[in-house]
Amino acid sequence: MTAVAHTSYGALRGDSTGSGACGDIVVFRGVPYAAPPTGELRWRPPQPVPKWTGVRDATAFGPIPPQDISPERLAKRSLTMSEDCLTLNIWTPAADGNRRPVLVFLHGGGQALGHGSAPLLDGAGLARRGDIVVVTVNFRLGVLGSLYAPDWHGPGSTNLTLRDQRHALQWVREQIGAFGGNPGAVTVAGQSSGAIALSALLAGGCDLFDRAILQSGGLERVRSMAAASSVAAQLLATGILTRAEEPGGAEILAAQRCIDPGFVPPQGPFHPCIDGDVIAEHPLVVARTRDMPAIPVLAGTTRDEWRIFDAVLDEGVFTEQYVRDRAHALAGDGHDADAVVATYRADHHKLRELAGAMVTDYHFTAPTEQFVRAHAERGNAVFRYELQWPSPRAGLGACHDSCLPLVFGNMDAAPSLAGDDAAARHMSDVVQELWLEFVRGGEPWERYDGVGGPTMLLGAETGIERGHRAGQLAIWENRYPAYG
């Protein structure tokens, strides 16, 4: 089955092939939302798509953004990689005149990895189940999307990843009606670095969406201007940007590997930065001090986010001294690292688990709680959750990324994250229905109303709890460095 959608830029042909059991869902793949950011546009904000005549084929995914991935892996997944990557993918029950709710998803990957055509993010099942339109987006990554070098590349060259995302959302507002979507009912969801970007868009006053879902965002990772300048200096030291000719994409990727990621948690060298243009202040500061768009927000984290990252470390690494060093790195000078360790020791007897729990809270849970608490206290609808569904892999618990198969229902795409048995699929059913209720404009559970407010715990026993882990989260109040 094929279908044609008529946008103001030209007509697009999609099909339902490759959707498996969801054969009644039409997919438009590789849809351009901006001009290719190549040549003179490499370090520039996204530009409008040139119009075309006839019907443009949209049955194949577009190239993924340049990233550190092997040619063998690309070939295995039938993918290509190119700087000409500013495309999105749309799953819809029909390209008709119905006005269905829209879910736009911003993928994670530290703003250095990932793409909207990943099997885990296939939107067919979610679109079919909820009678909604699902959109995934490709945007510039790594140095090409985040280099802070305004003196070198001029104004408008900073935070290109955020500029791409904002441009894509403008495209959705203007064009999604051609795909059976309602441009006045757009929810944007972001996971991991996608959630960090979404917090930055909210803090910047972006009004191109009507609801927001933040999943597992390390919201403290928005970088200061000084931190971003340090990363740029490391790249400039390689010499690839100071010669007469522009470097090739492969050279840029090679230079990225020279950038120091820092101690735990990593510095996030490619996350958004406070550039005084797209981002004037850190989102955590904005949330506390002034209004953001007054839209409903659903936000949360997994219980054991950091365990999947610590899994690569040998057991012998986790000594008492290492745990204290990690606590000090997180808490900062002037704070008692031993007191932090003591607080977590009551609930975590293994040093590996204790060390991971501290980073989970510092990097993910506490900043998310602080961000949405401030939003709730200004009278906005907020719905807090913690995912407690464990990975079937021993020791990972409810780890980072485990929310993805549950939300999209693509359990078989990553069975090691959340499982693929009957119980896991039932958990996915529960999560999907709650998310869809929010996307449709409803209230999926009781509103979060500040410190100790109701939090939905999603696991073997799903339900609301008040005061959930408020004591441990309070440790990280005022622990984040000054931003500027």
Side-chain angles (χ1 to χ4, degrees):
M1 182 180 72
T2 63
V4 175
H6 297 273
T7 76
S8 59
Y9 298 99
L12 292 157
R13 179 185 297 108
D15 67 16
S16 62
T17 60
S19 295
C22 305
D24 54 338
I25 295 297
V26 181
V27 190
F28 294 85
R29 304 175 179 88
V31 177
Y33 66 84
T38 56
E40 294 183 354
L41 296 182
R42 173 183 261 181
W43 303 109
R44 308 310 305 157
Q47 300 300 308
V49 178
K51 293 184 178 181
W52 63 85
T53 58
V55 180
R56 180 171 181 153
D57 184 74
T59 60
F61 289 119
I64 69 171
Q67 54 195 275
D68 204 356
I69 183 172
S70 70
E72 293 76 20
R73 192 175 178 189
L74 282 172
K76 183 178 180 180
R77 297 187 178 182
S78 300
L79 296 171
T80 58
M81 190 162 64
S82 169
E83 291 185 50
D84 180 4
C85 62
L86 300 187
T87 61
L88 44 79
N89 311 297
I90 303 167
W91 289 263
T92 179
D96 55 20
N98 287 350
R99 293 170 63 85
R100 299 175 180 85
V102 179
L103 174 64
V104 180
F105 190 83
L106 306 178
H107 68 76
Q111 234 172 249
L113 297 168
H115 51 90
S117 50
L120 195 56
L121 307 184
D122 187 295
L126 198 56
R128 182 174 187 262
R129 179 178 197 133
D131 191 30
I132 67 171
V133 178
V134 178
V135 182
T136 62
V137 188
N138 283 344
F139 34 82
R140 280 174 279 189
L141 299 172
V143 165
L144 291 167
S146 66
L147 180 65
Y148 180 74
D151 293 340
W152 194 258
H153 292 132
S157 65
T158 59
N159 281 318
L160 293 175
T161 297
L162 285 181
R163 296 176 196 267
D164 289 347
Q165 292 166 343
R166 195 168 58 186
H167 196 86
L169 293 172
Q170 182 69 56
W171 190 98
V172 169
R173 275 284 203 230
E174 296 172 353
Q175 309 297 330
I176 204 63
F179 301 86
N182 182 354
V186 176
T187 298
V188 179
Q191 188 265 344
S192 194
S193 61
I196 299 172
L198 185 49
S199 75
L201 290 170
L202 283 167
C206 183
D207 61 356
L208 297 172
F209 48 96
D210 309 285
R211 295 188 153 226
I213 301 175
L214 285 75
Q215 300 174 207
S216 298
L219 303 190
E220 52 85 26
R221 287 294 84 185
V222 172
R223 300 175 296 156
S224 68
M225 202 176 291
S229 297
S230 174
V231 171
Q234 292 180 57
L235 187 74
L236 290 169
T238 67
I240 68 167
L241 297 182
T242 56
R243 63 195 194 198
E245 70 276 9
E246 275 283 314
E251 291 178 286
I252 291 178
L253 288 176
Q256 285 186 187
R257 302 186 192 106
C258 300
I259 295 172
D260 179 14
F263 191 56
V264 175
Q267 296 170 351
F270 308 115
H271 286 318
C273 74
I274 299 166
D275 60 354
D277 183 3
V278 181
I279 305 176
E281 288 183 284
H282 195 284
L284 292 179
V285 174
V286 173
R288 288 198 310 267
T289 59
R290 66 174 189 267
D291 289 339
M292 297 185 295
I295 63 173
V297 172
L298 186 155
T301 54
T302 72
R303 183 187 59 201
D304 309 300
E305 297 274 7
W306 198 255
R307 286 196 193 180
I308 197 168
F309 301 103
D310 275 347
V312 300
L313 301 178
D314 293 335
E315 194 67 33
V317 169
F318 296 95
T319 63
E320 289 282 356
Q321 185 60 52
Y322 179 83
V323 171
R324 283 196 297 272
D325 289 345
R326 181 178 283 193
H328 183 267
L330 297 174
D333 294 334
H335 298 288
D336 189 346
D338 288 336
V340 173
V341 173
T343 300
Y344 280 86
R345 198 182 297 278
D347 293 327
H348 302 279
H349 303 298
K350 293 183 178 180
L351 291 176
R352 177 189 290 272
E353 294 178 2
L354 191 160
M358 292 190 300
V359 184
T360 290
D361 283 352
Y362 176 91
H363 187 44
F364 297 98
T365 317
T368 296
E369 190 274 335
Q370 292 173 31
F371 185 79
V372 299
R373 179 210 307 164
H375 195 58
E377 289 174 347
R378 294 180 184 275
N380 301 296
V382 169
F383 305 93
R384 283 275 285 121
Y385 76 88
E386 180 178 277
L387 180 63
Q388 299 184 336
W389 184 257
S391 164
R393 288 179 57 188
L396 291 189
C399 62
H400 194 64
D401 288 345
S402 61
C403 59
L404 295 176
L406 296 171
V407 169
F408 281 89
N410 299 320
M411 313 301 289
D412 57 347
S416 64
L417 286 176
D420 191 20
D421 58 10
R425 291 190 173 276
H426 174 71
M427 187 75 256
S428 177
D429 290 342
V430 171
V431 171
Q432 283 191 322
E433 286 301 325
L434 292 171
W435 263 238
L436 287 168
E437 177 67 16
F438 182 78
V439 170
R440 295 187 191 108
E443 299 200 357
W445 58 82
E446 189 178 352
R447 291 188 182 189
Y448 182 74
D449 53 8
V451 176
T455 298
M456 173 63 78
L457 306 184
L458 298 166
E461 296 182 2
T462 293
I464 291 289
E465 182 176 300
R466 290 182 174 274
H468 181 63
R469 301 186 58 249
Q472 288 180 338
L473 295 183
I475 292 175
W476 306 111
E477 291 289 334
N478 304 314
R479 289 296 195 270
Y480 301 109
Y483 296 102

